[in-house]
Every structure is written in structure tokens, then in C-alpha cells.
Amino acid sequence: MAANSADLHGRTHRLELGDQTLREWDAVVLASDAETGVVLDRSAFYPGGGGQPPDHGVLLWGGVQTRIVGVRKGDDLALLPADGDPLPPVGTAVRGAVEDDRRTALMRTHSGLHLLSGVVFRDFGALVTGGNMEPLEARMDFNLPEVPVGFRDAVAAACAAEVGADRAITTTTLPRDVAFSTYPDLIRTATNLLPDDLEIVRVVDIAGLDTQADAGTHVASTRQIGGLEIVKIENKGKGFRRLRVRVTD
């Protein structure tokens, strides 16, 4: 099946954008270098972006394996091998495999942040000013001038209710003008971070709660996130509050 142009980065068809449950696939090596990395014709390694770190995993070929510990984004997506691991030569057929526990944890965490931002926007009108995540823990910053009385408990209770509601989480790709005309509140960050030359926008929707432009990987429903614990609220300067969260089972 031919790749949709929105699913291409350089010479690589990004399989994870079409199937976020995919963990293993077959591919052919297009470039291979210890310094610059390995380029595949097809890859399900999420390369990182939007606060979500890149995937880890392995390439299996010729009875050996190459561990992948990062991704470099340039004209191509270059998979970065672990120091000292053998490199598959150009033209080699390989089996790629994403580390499932890490990817699944990051999917739950990323979806949890979308749920959190949706709740805070809906209930308090605050936009996101920054964020970052690691597997099952994250931070998100909001342009919230004051912390209302009972804010922490209210947000925690609302997030728990949305997890319990088991809202569907879906992704679609749309032409930029169609995306913004369909979803006027598509940007939930205080600053629009979408490149001006981005023609196709990937939209992540939590049914009935939150719709955002986003290129990350997500679980299929809010129940799959698990618990979302508000660990700490920090004052990061006038009008800015940082929420540290933990995803729990």
C-alpha cells in the first residue's frame, strides 16, 4: 500500500501514525552509518516531538540485533544505534521492533496530558505554555494567573471522571485550512507552534472533551490511560503554574 504523504518523513513511511498499536514490522535498510544512523523504508519508531521522547527498540537481521536508542530528525529519520552494536548494511531486510513497555507508557502519558489540558481549559480557561514527559510521569505548564481554592482536588476529580467515562481517542489528518475551520480551538497552547508551511495537520480528538493538533502516539480511550495523579503544583512566575503528574495503574 502506498504511503500517504502525511505519513512520510524523507524516505521513510511512518507506520506508527497509521497504527499506534504496531510493535513489529519488516523493512529494508536505505542508509547505514555508525555516526548518522540507520534509515529504513518503513518504520514504526516514534521519532520524538511535542514533548514525547523517541521510542527505543531493536532491528533484527542475519541472526544479530541492533539496539535503537534514539532517532535523529533531518531530511530523513535516522535511527540511532547503541554504541558498539553491529550495523545492518544498505539493502538488508530487517525486522523492526519497538520496546512495548516504554511505548505503551508514553502513549498513556501523552493521552493523559491531553486529558489534563482539556479539563483545565474547559473548567478554568487556561492554555498550555509548555510541557514534557517521560514514561508515566510528566509536567504541564498553564497560563493560570492564580490557583483557585480547591484547584488541585477539582482537577484530580475531573480527570478521574473523564478516565471513567472511557471517552474514545481518535486521530485524523486534514488539510490545514479544513482543520482550522472545523476546529476553531485546535491550538490549546498559548503560542501556535505549528510550522507555517505545514499543509496537513494531524488532529487528536478525545470525544466530547478535547481536540488538538498533535503528532504523537496515543491510547484508544481515556480508560486506557489509567489513573492521573496530580503530584505537585509549582509557581513558575507571574501567571504561570506547573502541574506535575504521574500516571498510575
Side-chain angles (χ1 to χ4, degrees):
M1 181 180 295
N4 185 308
S5 61
D7 293 347
L8 289 172
H9 186 121
R11 293 175 287 173
T12 302
H13 177 194
R14 291 183 56 186
L15 302 173
E16 86 283 2
L17 294 179
D19 183 358
Q20 296 170 92
T21 67
L22 185 64
R23 296 295 185 269
E24 295 188 20
W25 68 99
D26 295 315
V28 175
V29 176
L30 302 179
S32 182
D33 183 88
E35 296 298 323
T36 59
V38 178
V39 177
L40 304 179
D41 67 334
R42 306 165 74 244
S43 174
F45 284 99
Y46 180 68
Q52 181 176 336
D55 286 330
H56 294 171
V58 296
L59 301 179
L60 304 174
W61 54 281
V64 298
Q65 73 171 16
T66 302
R67 292 170 295 165
I68 300 302
V69 296
V71 183
R72 179 180 292 117
K73 293 183 287 186
D75 292 337
D76 278 313
L77 288 181
L79 308 177
L80 303 181
D83 289 343
D85 276 18
L87 293 178
V90 171
T92 301
V94 300
R95 183 75 173 169
V98 167
E99 184 183 314
D100 179 59
D101 286 349
R102 174 182 170 86
R103 161 68 83 76
T104 300
L106 286 168
M107 289 170 64
R108 292 173 61 199
T109 306
H110 201 159
S111 295
L113 288 180
H114 277 233
L115 185 150
L116 175 66
S117 66
V119 163
V120 174
F121 181 77
R122 180 194 66 193
D123 296 349
F124 299 94
L127 293 170
V128 174
T129 60
N132 201 13
M133 75 188 82
E134 294 296 333
L136 303 183
E137 59 182 38
R139 66 168 176 83
M140 182 159 274
D141 302 340
F142 294 92
N143 63 348
L144 192 66
E146 302 291 340
V147 178
V149 175
F151 174 78
R152 180 173 180 168
D153 290 344
V155 170
C159 287
E162 297 301 340
V163 168
D166 199 21
R167 296 182 182 273
I169 303 175
T170 57
T171 61
T172 56
T173 54
L174 297 168
R176 187 187 186 102
D177 57 344
V178 174
F180 279 94
S181 62
T182 305
Y183 306 105
D185 292 325
L186 189 62
I187 303 300
R188 292 293 176 85
T189 52
T191 302
N192 185 348
L193 301 177
L194 286 184
D196 293 336
D197 60 352
L198 185 67
E199 298 179 356
I200 302 296
V201 177
R202 186 165 180 265
V203 177
V204 175
D205 178 69
I206 302 179
L209 175 67
D210 181 73
T211 306
Q212 295 188 44
D214 181 82
T217 59
H218 293 270
V219 292
S221 75
T222 56
R223 189 179 297 278
Q224 292 179 15
I225 295 169
L228 195 63
E229 177 186 353
I230 311 297
V231 177
K232 189 177 183 182
I233 299 177
E234 301 172 355
N235 185 342
K236 303 305 291 184
K238 186 175 181 180
F240 297 98
R241 301 294 182 268
R242 173 168 294 173
L243 274 65
R244 295 192 180 274
V245 300
R246 180 183 298 120
V247 177
T248 61
D249 292 324

